[in-house]
Amino acid sequence: LLMKIPGTDEIFPVVDEEGTEISRASRELCHDGKSMLLHPVIHFHLFNEKGELYLQKRAMTKDLLPGKWDTAVGGHISPGESAEEALKREAKEELGIVNFKFQLNKKYIWKSSREREIVYSFTGTSDDIPVVNKDEIDEGRFWSPAEIKDNLGKDIFTPNFEKEFEVLS
C-alpha cells in the first residue's frame, strides 16, 4: 500500500511501533498533522574529547522547526534502509563525517503536533571535523553540557532535542 500525494517524490516507510515497515507514504502526508503516520528517523549526538555536544542550527528553509538548534545529525530513514545505513548517509550529507564510532542509545516514539516518529537515537565520536551542509544547516558548533542546560526551555532548541538531552545527561 502506497499513500502518495500527487506532485511529491520523497517517500517514507510507515512502520509499526516495533519499527517494522507496514506501508509507505509521502513526506507531506507523514508531516500533515492529521495522518500521524509513524515513520522512522535517526538522531546522532556527536561528542568531542572534552565531552561537548555538537549541535546544528536548522536551516531557515526547513519545513519543521527552522532556526532551532538540534541534534548534530538527524534524518529520515529511507524505505529498505537500516537505521545504521541512514545514520552513515545523513552524517556524510549533513556534516561530511565518514569516520565515526557510534552506538544505539535509545529507540522511542516522538509525537508532535505535526507528526509521529520512531527515533533511533545514537551517540558517538569522530576525529573528522564537521563541515555543515548549508542546504540543510545554517551553522553548527560544540556546546558544553552546562551551556545547553542554561538554555533549556528558552525556545532555542527543538522540543525533541530537549527531551533527548534529558536522557543523555
Side-chain angles (χ1 to χ4, degrees):
L1 176 63
L2 178 62
M3 295 170 272
K4 188 165 172 15
I5 294 173
T8 64
D9 53 38
E10 193 171 7
I11 298 296
F12 296 161
V14 175
V15 297
D16 63 20
E17 295 197 352
E18 277 71 56
T20 305
E21 185 175 323
I22 54 174
S23 68
R24 295 182 180 178
S26 69
R27 174 187 193 99
E28 289 79 3
L29 187 59
C30 289
H31 289 177
D32 71 2
K34 297 179 195 111
S35 72
M36 300 312 264
L37 294 170
L38 187 63
H39 57 285
V41 300
I42 59 91
H43 291 172
F44 181 49
H45 299 279
L46 175 64
F47 288 91
N48 66 14
E49 67 283 349
K50 295 186 234 169
E52 295 170 327
L53 185 58
Y54 191 90
L55 300 181
Q56 61 154 282
K57 189 172 186 184
R58 296 174 59 81
M60 293 306 291
T61 54
K62 289 287 194 181
D63 61 335
L64 296 174
L65 304 165
K68 301 285 186 201
W69 286 91
D70 202 359
T71 310
V73 173
H76 292 91
I77 298 174
S78 297
E81 188 177 44
S82 72
E84 292 79 11
E85 289 166 340
L87 170 64
K88 291 174 184 175
R89 176 180 51 75
E90 290 286 348
K92 184 176 181 182
E93 282 176 15
E94 293 185 4
L95 298 180
I97 293 174
V98 290
N99 299 306
F100 58 99
K101 296 181 181 133
F102 63 88
Q103 65 183 31
L104 181 63
N105 188 46
K106 185 174 178 140
K107 179 175 137 183
Y108 65 94
I109 293 176
W110 171 256
K111 183 178 178 186
S112 74
S113 62
R114 294 264 314 264
E115 64 179 336
R116 272 189 337 134
E117 299 174 327
I118 187 163
V119 180
Y120 294 82
S121 177
F122 294 89
T123 56
T125 59
S126 177
D127 291 331
D128 290 358
I129 308 281
V131 178
V132 299
N133 175 345
K134 289 293 190 173
D135 293 335
E136 301 261 348
I137 301 167
D138 280 349
E139 62 180 293
R141 68 177 176 89
F142 282 99
W143 295 58
S144 72
E147 185 182 13
I148 293 170
K149 285 178 187 160
D150 287 347
N151 285 289
L152 292 173
K154 295 182 179 174
D155 203 32
I156 292 170
F157 306 115
T158 65
N160 193 211
F161 170 75
E162 289 198 359
K163 177 186 177 6
E164 273 192 52
F165 184 73
E166 288 174 24
V167 173
L168 292 172
S169 36

